[in-house]
Amino acid sequence: MERIPILQMGEFLLVTIQVDMHDQLALNLQEDLTDRISRTSARGVLIDISALDMVDSFIGRMIASISGLSRIMDAETMVVGMQPAVAITLVELGLTLPGVSTALNVERGMQVLRKRVAGR
Amino acid sequence: MATLQGSTLEAIKNNQDQLLDQWINSLESNGATRNLKEHELRQQTSGFLQLLANGLQQADDATGNAEEVRRFLEKLSASRAQLGHDSHQTAYFIFALKGPLFSLLQRVYADQPALLAEQLLVVSELLDSLGMHTVRAYQITREAVIRRQQEELLELSTPVVKLWDGVLALPLIGTLDSQRSQTVMESLLQRIVDTGAEIAIIDITGVPTVDTLVAQHLLKTVTAIRLMGADCIISGVRPQIAQTIVHLGLDLSSITTKANLADALKLAIKRLDVGDSARG
């Protein structure tokens, strides 16, 4: 079964989405990620979607819900590297993703994550 | 259907100079020669008459669908459109030929009224169709000019400038409509990706009115910028605009707004410093 790899970097998990997201893949990712967070007790999750150039409302909602449920499991979540076209599409779809933290790229996202985790 | 008689053609060919003079006179008296040089006009008219006579000779049907004549007219109306002539003046180039041509025919067929009527009808139809063709070609050229200008205007109106290290500014001037705000949004987001800027300032000092639609576009842009992981400040909110926004009951509470660009820049630098020291 197709899966999106989840990499562990210290106390953070890094997810880079490099293939076209389809619905089942997103659902798998959601399951795998929650599983990994609980196993590794990660403090932060970084989701890199810079390679994603197309989204629909379902994927948009999945991004929001993944970020919401990792926060419930006590892991700060950052969505990084969103492409302009994706951002415009999400806004046009009315998915403004309130409560999702964003950053321009992985490096910036990591900086912010470190800061937040240190502050807790 | 009535056809053009050989004798009509003969008459046109033999009286070209006279026709030309009368035609140019008629054009000049109607102001259809604005911005045109004398020799240019003479060249165009004689060129057309030559082509017309040849075209009529070659074409089997009386409508004279000679490709060459049409191409000539297309080129002519394109140049007229660029010179700023209106459609009336351009079409008049053809219609002004009617008078001289008709009086010529009258003279040629003075003793054959039936033939005269028939030939007049044929020539009139021919000139009408050519005139219509000219207007159509003129319109196509004008539309192309307008389209190009619109595109240029769109490009001109969205300059994204780098104001500070990590701070981009977009001074908006003129009314925002949906197409323009789309271009604005796209170019700003692209620049954010290219430069990795953390804060974007949209300055609306030059936007004359802010209505619900414009406010909605601004909100969308700000949200898209936030989704990409950057920050956005709106600056240059004039007192009248602030009043309109409040009167309309628009909720801009999710956006940071500043009265002028200087304040916005100050805030942006402060935010950058805070971020750096926290990271350091």
Side-chain angles (χ1 to χ4, degrees):
Chain A
M1 192 162 57
E2 215 180 342
R3 283 185 184 287
I4 289 173
I6 300 170
L7 315 172
Q8 186 167 6
M9 295 176 68
E11 53 185 351
F12 302 129
L13 293 179
L14 178 62
V15 183
T16 53
I17 297 171
Q18 290 176 350
V19 289
D20 275 342
M21 280 285 256
H22 52 78
D23 298 2
Q24 190 55 48
L25 201 60
L27 288 171
N28 287 348
L29 176 65
Q30 189 174 333
E31 241 170 76
D32 288 354
L33 193 61
T34 43
D35 191 43
R36 277 294 278 278
I37 294 172
S38 78
R39 257 197 298 133
T40 59
S41 54
R43 306 293 308 276
V45 178
L46 213 70
I47 305 173
D48 176 26
I49 57 168
S50 53
L52 199 69
D53 50 13
M54 233 169 20
V55 282
D56 56 15
S57 55
F58 183 78
I59 301 298
R61 215 156 48 80
M62 286 309 289
I63 293 173
S65 75
I66 287 174
S67 127
L69 60 90
S70 8
R71 193 169 313 115
I72 292 176
M73 301 187 67
D74 196 30
E76 282 282 338
T77 308
M78 299 283 294
V79 175
V80 302
M82 191 183 289
Q83 293 295 316
V86 173
I88 292 173
T89 312
L90 285 181
V91 172
E92 294 293 339
L93 288 171
L95 287 165
T96 54
L97 309 187
V100 176
S101 310
T102 51
L104 278 176
N105 50 41
V106 176
E107 199 186 325
R108 292 254 175 82
M110 201 62 103
Q111 278 173 351
V112 177
L113 262 189
R114 286 216 180 90
K115 197 172 86 189
R116 287 205 188 154
V117 169
R120 282 198 304 188
Chain B
M1 184 175 164
T3 53
L4 210 60
Q5 296 285 326
S7 47
T8 313
L9 266 179
E10 266 321 290
I12 293 178
K13 278 194 164 174
N14 293 339
N15 293 289
Q16 249 183 39
D17 287 338
Q18 194 192 345
L19 268 177
L20 265 180
D21 284 338
Q22 286 173 357
W23 190 11
I24 289 172
N25 275 341
S26 159
L27 280 173
E28 271 168 353
S29 64
N30 266 280
T33 57
R34 194 163 58 94
N35 296 342
L36 273 179
K37 289 184 190 72
E38 171 82 32
H39 69 96
E40 239 180 322
L41 182 67
R42 197 155 269 282
Q43 209 179 346
Q44 283 173 347
T45 45
S46 65
F48 175 73
L49 216 54
Q50 202 94 48
L51 275 175
L52 185 68
N54 289 341
L56 290 177
Q57 215 162 25
Q58 286 157 9
D60 290 327
D61 56 342
T63 48
N65 273 336
E67 218 20 65
E68 225 174 328
V69 180
R70 290 185 176 247
R71 262 208 305 279
F72 177 85
L73 282 179
E74 277 161 25
K75 227 161 58 196
L76 179 101
S77 45
S79 73
R80 291 293 158 95
Q82 265 147 16
L83 275 176
H85 286 215
D86 63 20
S87 54
H88 172 83
Q89 286 168 330
T90 310
Y92 196 74
F93 176 78
I94 298 297
F95 294 134
L97 181 59
K98 262 190 185 181
L101 205 53
F102 282 9
S103 55
L104 173 72
L105 288 180
Q106 238 158 8
R107 260 183 289 124
V108 174
Y109 297 108
D111 46 353
Q112 297 160 283
L115 202 54
L116 172 65
E118 184 196 287
Q119 289 304 303
L120 276 183
L121 185 68
V122 173
V123 170
S124 165
E125 270 177 357
L126 169 66
L127 285 182
D128 283 350
S129 85
L130 287 177
M132 288 306 287
H133 188 73
T134 316
V135 173
R136 211 175 311 135
Y138 172 86
Q139 222 154 23
I140 289 169
T141 321
R142 284 297 275 196
E143 272 160 24
V145 169
I146 291 172
R147 234 189 340 267
R148 206 191 59 230
Q149 280 174 344
Q150 257 174 348
E151 280 164 15
E152 273 171 12
L153 210 63
L154 271 181
E155 278 170 24
L156 275 180
S157 61
T158 56
V160 183
V161 289
K162 184 176 172 182
L163 213 56
W164 202 267
D165 209 18
V167 182
L168 291 179
L170 176 77
L172 281 179
I173 293 167
T175 320
L176 275 180
D177 56 18
S178 359
Q179 205 198 348
R180 208 182 138 201
S181 60
Q182 188 77 23
T183 331
V184 166
M185 198 199 277
E186 275 166 23
S187 63
L188 183 57
L189 295 190
Q190 194 53 52
R191 277 300 292 270
I192 289 175
V193 171
D194 293 345
T195 59
E198 278 177 69
I199 297 177
I201 301 173
I202 301 179
D203 185 73
I204 57 167
T205 314
V207 180
T209 51
V210 173
D211 56 8
T212 43
L213 206 65
V214 174
Q216 204 195 350
H217 286 316
L218 284 176
L219 268 173
K220 274 187 189 169
T221 311
V222 173
T223 314
I225 290 172
R226 201 188 63 79
L227 277 178
M228 286 179 46
D231 235 340
C232 186
I233 303 171
I234 306 259
S235 77
V237 184
R238 283 178 285 123
Q240 303 98 301
I241 287 190
Q243 281 187 18
T244 333
I245 290 174
V246 173
H247 278 309
L248 286 171
L250 301 171
D251 181 23
L252 296 185
S253 57
S254 53
I255 305 179
T256 317
T257 47
K258 285 280 166 196
N260 55 51
L261 191 57
D263 286 349
L265 182 60
K266 214 185 282 174
L267 176 70
I269 294 171
K270 207 168 115 193
R271 279 195 191 168
L272 285 177
D273 285 346
V274 169
D276 281 346
S277 60
R279 273 172 218 149

